[in-house]
Amino acid sequence: MDTTTWTLIAAVFAIAVLLLLVIKFKFQEFLALLVTSILFGLAVGMGPDKLMEVVVDEMGGGLGQLALVIGLGAIFGTVLQQSGAAERIATTLAGRFSDRNIAYGLGLAGFLVAISVYIDVAIVILVPMLYGVAKRTGKSLLYYGIPLCAGLSCAYTFMPPAPGPLAATGILKADLGLVIMFGVICGIPAVLVGGPLFGRFISKRIFVPVPEELDAAADHAGEDSPRLPSFASVLGALMLPLVLIVLGTIGKNALAEGTAARTVLTFIGHPVIALLLTALYTLWFFGVRRGLPPDRLQKMATAALAPAGMIILVTGAGSVFGGVLVESGLGEVMAAAMKNAGIPLVLFGFLVSSVMRICQGSGMVAMVTGATFTAPLAQAMQASPAMVALTSIAIACGGAAYSHVNDSGFWMANRYFGMSVADTLKSWTVMKTTVGLTGFAAVLVLSAFVT
């Protein structure tokens, strides 16, 4: 058996081991990725010393910028969440749209909220706010809930600084400004089709009443709700990092090197500086300015870094896996095979993340794995920065779709909508799949214009 064949067999073996560890033995994703990387490296003949050198170098190198961005993004999101930003966006947009068009407002609200707030937390906060509207109009809860959740799903899986797309962007070494731009372009049709359009369709076929016990709990919680910040202040905070990063990308690509304007825009548009400025701004505006004591702000920031730490480790382990794959020569082998078969890079990334999503449930792991296997190919094929950024969105589309019983989000929707498992599959699962497939269709259209 030649080396190339054995490397391909070992890669298939590595995927099987990763799935087995996560699904069967319930390994934490970080440990599963690390163990799989070491087993694959040994299987393709890397010496122990060389293997551990790659593991340590890739763990450190892969997290240089990403750890800072994820940590700062987590602080930013937690402060917004604690200040009532999610409720303000949902209530304001829902109030400004008529009953006929409220689904579009809820889709937009979900998209804005999930840029900074974890999707599970957003569901807990926002879905109970729909109970009163559903009772007042007598419509199925799905008429309002599906558009909201489509917006949440789309932003959480398409748009940095949400952790999944941020991790994929880091592993692929994609331009963050381009990823944000493509995320918005592909996200708009995904939200529209998976949200208001599908919500209107499915709500006519499945009537979901407001869950009485959850409605009572939501009413009780609302009695002590804190004073909410203004809509303009929340929107400004959400847009600040995105605008700064995009300005940095424009400055780097459009202005002459050495000019003062290019230097300033590139500096403030660097993802670390953009997120640092945003985190400091939100701590002051939504914390100090509103009279929160320093110890409360410190506890907020500390609590934010707990989940961020695990995301950082998973992302680092994904970089390790990618480094071992590159070192094995798998990237060149698969790149040659893809060119011969005519498989586009975006399709490969989408398929890998889709398979992982279906098999083990976690969108984060699906995106990290998809980016890990795609990064060596992008490098071997010398893909342009725009194509790499678009591939990051394709991977995100695979990580967004196919949510079913092995995904925690499926059970969150099942509980907060008060549906049976069958109805959750017909509504939530189809909505998530529609978002992913519509987004990927937009990726394919854009890829025809990107070299």
Side-chain angles (χ1 to χ4, degrees):
M1 185 183 299
D2 60 29
T3 304
T4 299
T5 303
W6 173 245
T7 301
L8 289 172
I9 292 173
V12 174
F13 168 75
I15 295 175
V17 169
L18 179 60
L19 291 172
L20 188 66
L21 291 175
V22 172
I23 297 172
K24 177 68 175 177
F25 296 106
K26 307 298 181 185
F27 265 50
Q28 209 289 323
E29 291 89 347
F30 162 67
L31 289 175
L33 282 164
L34 196 58
V35 169
T36 304
S37 302
I38 293 172
L39 290 176
F40 176 78
L42 294 174
V44 296
M46 293 178 65
D49 292 342
K50 176 64 177 176
L51 175 60
M52 294 316 300
E53 182 182 335
V54 172
V55 168
V56 173
D57 288 347
E58 289 295 330
M59 191 74 184
L63 291 178
Q65 171 179 305
L66 207 57
L68 292 170
V69 172
I70 291 174
L72 291 168
I75 293 172
F76 158 55
T78 298
V79 173
L80 283 184
Q81 174 198 326
Q82 295 289 329
S83 71
E87 295 97 319
R88 169 54 67 200
I89 288 176
T91 54
T92 299
L93 289 177
R96 291 185 180 179
F97 284 79
S98 65
D99 284 349
R100 178 180 176 81
N101 296 317
I102 191 173
Y104 296 97
L106 290 170
L108 177 59
F111 190 87
L112 291 173
V113 167
I115 290 173
S116 62
V117 178
Y118 290 107
I119 187 170
D120 289 356
V121 175
I123 289 174
V124 172
I125 294 172
L126 297 183
V127 170
M129 296 177 64
L130 304 178
Y131 295 164
V133 182
K135 285 198 300 183
R136 176 171 58 83
T137 61
K139 291 186 176 181
S140 170
L141 185 57
L142 293 177
Y143 182 84
Y144 306 101
I146 288 295
L148 175 69
C149 290
L152 291 172
S153 301
C154 188
Y156 190 70
T157 46
F158 285 26
M159 290 288 293
L166 193 59
T169 299
I171 292 171
L172 286 167
K173 297 181 174 58
D175 184 299
L176 201 56
L178 291 175
V179 173
I180 290 171
M181 183 180 73
F182 287 137
V184 172
I185 294 172
C186 297
I188 290 172
V191 173
L192 289 176
V193 176
L197 295 181
F198 177 68
R200 190 174 300 161
F201 170 83
I202 196 65
S203 63
K204 292 177 180 177
R205 287 153 180 81
I206 301 176
F207 182 81
V208 176
V210 174
E212 292 183 8
E213 68 281 6
L214 294 178
D215 185 34
D219 288 341
H220 180 71
E223 295 170 4
D224 303 315
S225 59
R227 179 171 56 90
L228 300 180
S230 70
F231 178 74
S233 67
V234 175
L235 186 62
L238 288 171
M239 292 296 103
L240 180 59
L242 305 182
V243 170
L244 290 177
I245 291 170
V246 171
L247 284 176
T249 299
I250 292 172
K252 184 169 59 177
N253 294 312
L255 300 179
E257 194 169 347
T259 60
R262 185 183 193 275
T263 302
V264 171
L265 287 179
T266 304
F267 177 70
I268 64 172
H270 190 284
V272 173
I273 299 300
L275 265 298
L276 175 61
L277 292 174
T278 304
L280 292 175
Y281 168 74
T282 51
L283 283 168
W284 172 77
F285 192 91
F286 298 103
V288 175
R289 186 172 172 274
R290 301 182 82 197
L292 291 182
D295 60 331
R296 172 76 185 279
L297 292 175
Q298 184 185 42
K299 288 179 181 177
M300 241 189 253
T302 303
L305 293 176
M310 188 50 64
I311 292 168
I312 289 169
L313 286 175
V314 170
T315 305
S319 295
V320 169
F321 198 8
V324 176
L325 292 175
V326 170
E327 200 68 31
S328 72
L330 181 66
E332 288 80 3
V333 172
M334 295 187 69
M338 283 173 57
K339 285 180 179 178
N340 293 334
I343 300 174
L345 186 65
V346 292
L347 178 58
F348 178 84
F350 173 76
L351 291 176
V352 174
S353 61
S354 294
V355 169
M356 292 301 296
R357 169 70 157 160
I358 293 168
C359 291
Q360 52 77 45
S362 169
M364 176 75 181
V365 173
M367 284 184 269
V368 167
T369 309
T372 298
F373 274 89
T374 308
L377 295 178
Q379 181 180 329
M381 298 171 73
Q382 298 180 327
S384 68
M387 183 57 74
V388 174
L390 197 55
T391 301
S392 179
I393 300 301
I395 291 168
C397 291
Y402 322 112
S403 170
H404 60 97
V405 294
N406 61 0
D407 176 26
S408 62
F410 177 92
W411 296 108
M412 293 289 291
N414 175 269
R415 167 172 163 72
Y416 279 90
F417 284 92
M419 294 185 290
S420 66
V421 171
D423 284 347
T424 310
L425 287 167
K426 294 174 187 175
S427 55
W428 169 267
T429 301
V430 175
M431 177 274 292
K432 292 283 287 182
T433 304
T434 303
V435 165
L437 293 181
T438 304
F440 183 62
V443 167
L444 290 178
V445 172
L446 285 175
S447 67
F449 302 96
V450 173
T451 57

